[in-house]
């Protein structure tokens, strides 16, 4: 649950700040295209999960999904090439259903049936705390911390700015890069937790029919 709450925390930054970042160098039509293509990525991967049932190694799927999430999250901030950003957005939302599904299965199959309703109500609330915290911090971090660092003459303009550029919105891009790296770090830590792998020992684990699960867009 801590892992998923952290994922929703970083996802909250993306939901809040992707618009301001893109609109700093492109128009609203392009932003809409980005959102549509990214959503198609989630649709395609969700259909794949529904068609090709996964019956084991959910911990590994969770880790790989987190790595792909983190990598694509960081790629969103690397360049101002809109085609590259759209590809990164597609990749990011394509990976989310695998994270959702594997986390859902690992948790649900280790809760007794008679307690599913009560426990899952609490889990649903806890897993969304990341969004609330991110929504509260995103604007402040963007306007008062990261964007000033990468404006002309900013503290990181001559270092990081030489790689990802400077000007409006590049601080948000840097925030995305850092957030993505943290998600990859979460994946590495998750892969080394024996308690996560032990959740697979529950008998008759099968993928649920829904992939909305713990974290949703």
């Amino acid at each position: 649950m801590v892992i998923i709450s952290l994922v929703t925390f970083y996802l909250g930054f993306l939901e809040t700040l992707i618009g301001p970042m893109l609109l700093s160098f492109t128009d609203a039509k392009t932003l809409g295209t980005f959102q549509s293509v990214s959503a198609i990525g989630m649709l395609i991967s969700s259909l794949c999960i529904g068609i090709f049932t996964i019956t084991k190694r959910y911990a590994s799927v969770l880790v790989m999904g987190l790595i792909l999430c983190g990598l694509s999250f960081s790629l969103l901030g690397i360049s101002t090439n809109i085609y590259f950003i759209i590809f990164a957005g597609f990749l990011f939302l394509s990976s989310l259903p695998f994270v959702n599904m594997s986390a859902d299965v690992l948790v649900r199959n280790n809760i007794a049936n008679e307690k599913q309703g009560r426990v899952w109500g609490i889990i649903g609330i806890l897993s969304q705390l990341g969004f609330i915290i991110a929504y509260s911090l995103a604007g402040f971090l963007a306007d008062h911390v990261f964007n000033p660092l990468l404006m002309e003459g900013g503290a990181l303009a001559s270092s990081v700015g030489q790689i990802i550029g400077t000007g409006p919105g590049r601080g948000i891009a840097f925030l995305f890069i850092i957030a993505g790296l943290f998600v990859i770090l979460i994946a590495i830590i998750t892969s080394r937790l024996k308690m996560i792998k032990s959740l697979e020992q529950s008998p008759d684990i099968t993928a649920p029919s829904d992939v909305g699960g713990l974290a949703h867009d």
Side-chain angles (χ1 to χ4, degrees), residues 9-18 73 134 137-138 141 175-176:
F9 173 70
Y10 292 118
L11 183 58
F13 280 130
L14 177 64
E15 290 183 349
T16 307
L17 299 176
I18 189 64
F73 203 164
L137 295 176
L141 290 176
L175 174 59
F176 286 172

Side-chain angles (χ1 to χ4, degrees), residues 9-98:
F9 173 70
Y10 292 118
L11 183 58
F13 280 130
L14 177 64
E15 290 183 349
T16 307
L17 299 176
I18 189 64
M21 188 193 81
L22 289 180
L23 292 175
S24 68
F25 61 87
T26 188
D27 55 23
K29 182 179 179 180
T30 304
L31 173 60
T33 301
F34 167 85
Q35 293 172 330
S36 298
V37 174
S38 299
I40 291 172
M42 176 176 281
L43 175 62
I44 292 174
S45 59
S46 298
L47 289 173
C48 289
I49 291 173
I51 295 172
F52 305 103
T53 303
I54 302 173
T55 58
K56 59 182 179 179
R57 300 185 64 83
Y58 289 101
S60 297
V61 173
L62 176 62
V63 170
M64 294 305 298
L66 287 172
I67 290 175
L68 191 57
C69 272
L71 176 62
S72 53
F73 203 164
S74 291
L75 291 178
L76 286 169
I78 292 294
S79 172
T80 56
N81 183 297
I82 191 59
Y83 297 105
F84 184 83
I85 294 174
I86 289 175
F87 169 75
F90 178 89
L91 195 63
F92 179 80
L93 288 190
S94 295
S95 62
L96 276 185
F98 291 96

Side-chain angles (χ1 to χ4, degrees), residues 1-216:
M1 292 311 306
V2 172
I3 292 169
I4 295 302
S5 294
L6 288 171
V7 171
T8 59
F9 173 70
Y10 292 118
L11 183 58
F13 280 130
L14 177 64
E15 290 183 349
T16 307
L17 299 176
I18 189 64
M21 188 193 81
L22 289 180
L23 292 175
S24 68
F25 61 87
T26 188
D27 55 23
K29 182 179 179 180
T30 304
L31 173 60
T33 301
F34 167 85
Q35 293 172 330
S36 298
V37 174
S38 299
I40 291 172
M42 176 176 281
L43 175 62
I44 292 174
S45 59
S46 298
L47 289 173
C48 289
I49 291 173
I51 295 172
F52 305 103
T53 303
I54 302 173
T55 58
K56 59 182 179 179
R57 300 185 64 83
Y58 289 101
S60 297
V61 173
L62 176 62
V63 170
M64 294 305 298
L66 287 172
I67 290 175
L68 191 57
C69 272
L71 176 62
S72 53
F73 203 164
S74 291
L75 291 178
L76 286 169
I78 292 294
S79 172
T80 56
N81 183 297
I82 191 59
Y83 297 105
F84 184 83
I85 294 174
I86 289 175
F87 169 75
F90 178 89
L91 195 63
F92 179 80
L93 288 190
S94 295
S95 62
L96 276 185
F98 291 96
V99 175
N100 289 335
M101 178 274 298
S102 54
D104 260 11
V105 173
L106 291 173
V107 173
R108 288 181 187 271
N109 282 275
N110 286 275
I111 299 174
N113 289 335
E114 63 272 15
K115 297 180 180 179
Q116 287 278 345
R118 286 172 290 170
V119 175
W120 206 254
I122 297 174
I123 288 175
I125 294 173
L126 294 177
S127 65
Q128 305 306 306
L129 290 178
F131 283 121
I132 298 173
I133 298 172
Y135 295 157
S136 302
L137 295 176
F140 174 82
L141 290 176
D143 292 340
H144 299 286
V145 180
F146 285 91
N147 276 337
L149 290 174
L150 286 165
M151 296 299 289
E152 294 293 338
L156 298 180
S158 60
S159 54
V160 177
Q162 296 297 312
I163 301 173
I164 66 173
T166 58
R170 299 320 295 159
I172 296 175
F174 185 45
L175 174 59
F176 286 172
I177 293 172
I178 293 176
L181 294 177
F182 271 111
V183 173
I184 294 175
L185 178 61
I186 292 171
I188 295 172
I189 294 174
T190 301
S191 70
R192 304 178 70 86
L193 293 176
K194 293 182 179 180
M195 64 183 71
I196 298 295
K197 295 180 180 180
S198 69
L199 295 177
E200 291 184 333
Q201 297 175 5
S202 178
D204 299 325
I205 289 183
T206 55
S209 57
D210 66 282
V211 293
L214 301 175
H216 62 276

